[in-house]
Amino acid sequence: MDLIKIGGFIADCRKGKKITQEQLAEKLCITDRAVSKWERGLSLPDADKMLDLCNTLDINVNELLNGEKIDMKDYKKKNEELLLELAKQDELKNKRLIKDMWAITIPTFIFYIALVIISSTLLKEGPILATIICVSTVVLLIVCFYGFKNEVEAGYYECRHCHHIFEEKNYFKLLMAPHMGTSRYQKCPKCGKKSMAKKVMSK
Ligand SMILES: [Zn+2]
């Protein structure tokens, strides 16, 4: 998605309506800084503001995200391009979440093991050793939770039996399910069979 083009389009539509950034911000109950950021291509309107923005500017969401007015005859094509683009971005985001998860949890885990081994070799049993182990265990648990959160947020699961792709964001359910890497043992909502459902990055 071309944020600069979208920003320019928002600015043009706003000027076409003869309203200032402040007036637009007031209509949408947001700050004029947010409007200025959109128009400079620094950010995209939040999903919950998009419809209001489009209504105010007399455009539709498809036009907003394409950054231009769309002819009715090109509409279907543009819509498909947009859906494809959104799917691509979803996949990229999911891949990044998983990459971040491994990048953070693996070094922390290695560091934790090393710290426990070294400190229990060098230090005598006592309050200092106990403190080091307690603090590092808490840090490890926090990092593991963060990694787990990334894993839950990212992507979908694929049933091994019927290849149905489904979403599961229930933390408790996922935490309790046995896993291997990012595959988790789950019941498929379509065929009802249980399997080691594989994590996939796109629908
Ligand atoms: Zn299934």
Side-chain angles (χ1 to χ4, degrees):
M1 236 173 282
D2 186 344
L3 291 189
I4 300 280
K5 189 177 170 199
I6 294 173
F9 182 58
I10 294 175
D12 289 344
C13 294
R14 175 181 60 74
K15 286 171 196 156
K17 289 272 161 198
K18 299 205 166 38
I19 50 175
T20 63
Q21 288 188 342
E22 289 77 14
Q23 286 165 329
L24 179 60
E26 204 175 307
K27 272 179 194 282
L28 301 173
C29 305
I30 52 168
T31 63
D32 46 347
R33 267 194 59 206
V35 174
S36 158
K37 274 171 103 177
W38 300 342
E39 294 192 353
R40 282 178 293 148
L42 299 178
S43 70
L44 204 59
D46 287 337
D48 62 330
K49 291 292 170 201
M50 266 186 201
L51 267 186
D52 280 348
L53 174 65
C54 288
N55 287 336
T56 309
L57 299 179
D58 268 329
I59 54 176
N60 58 53
V61 175
N62 198 358
E63 291 175 323
L64 174 70
L65 295 180
N66 273 292
E68 61 187 13
K69 279 273 179 195
I70 299 170
D71 232 328
M72 272 325 268
K73 67 175 169 39
D74 295 332
Y75 203 82
K76 194 160 171 274
K77 192 173 145 255
K78 285 280 184 190
N79 208 358
E80 276 165 4
E81 281 172 7
L82 187 64
L83 286 177
L84 210 66
E85 171 78 19
L86 290 175
K88 228 188 281 168
Q89 291 208 348
D90 182 52
E91 189 177 335
L92 274 179
K93 183 199 85 188
N94 291 331
K95 280 187 179 159
R96 203 177 52 230
L97 282 169
I98 292 289
K99 212 174 107 192
D100 284 356
M101 176 193 80
W102 292 124
I104 291 166
T105 50
I106 291 177
T108 309
F109 195 69
I110 293 171
F111 185 73
Y112 173 77
I113 300 283
L115 187 72
V116 170
I117 293 174
I118 293 170
S119 55
S120 47
T121 315
L122 296 181
L123 296 168
K124 283 201 294 281
E125 264 180 49
I128 297 176
L129 181 61
T131 309
I132 290 175
I133 292 181
C134 282
V135 171
S136 54
T137 305
V138 169
V139 171
L140 179 74
L141 286 176
I142 294 171
V143 170
C144 283
F145 180 76
Y146 175 80
F148 176 65
K149 189 169 153 280
N150 270 20
E151 195 201 314
V152 173
E153 295 298 321
Y156 314 93
Y157 288 98
E158 184 183 345
C159 168
R160 298 248 177 204
H161 298 285
C162 68
H163 300 289
H164 173 60
I165 290 178
F166 58 97
E167 223 172 319
E168 180 55 72
K169 305 276 183 213
N170 183 328
Y171 277 56
F172 186 71
K173 235 176 167 180
L174 288 171
L175 199 59
M176 290 300 132
H179 70 109
M180 260 173 70
T182 54
S183 297
R184 276 180 194 266
Y185 191 69
Q186 285 178 85
K187 189 175 166 185
C188 167
K190 197 178 172 200
C191 69
K193 286 183 189 156
K194 288 185 173 178
S195 70
M196 209 66 188
K198 197 173 103 190
K199 184 118 222 168
V200 290
M201 292 301 118
S202 55
K203 275 190 172 165

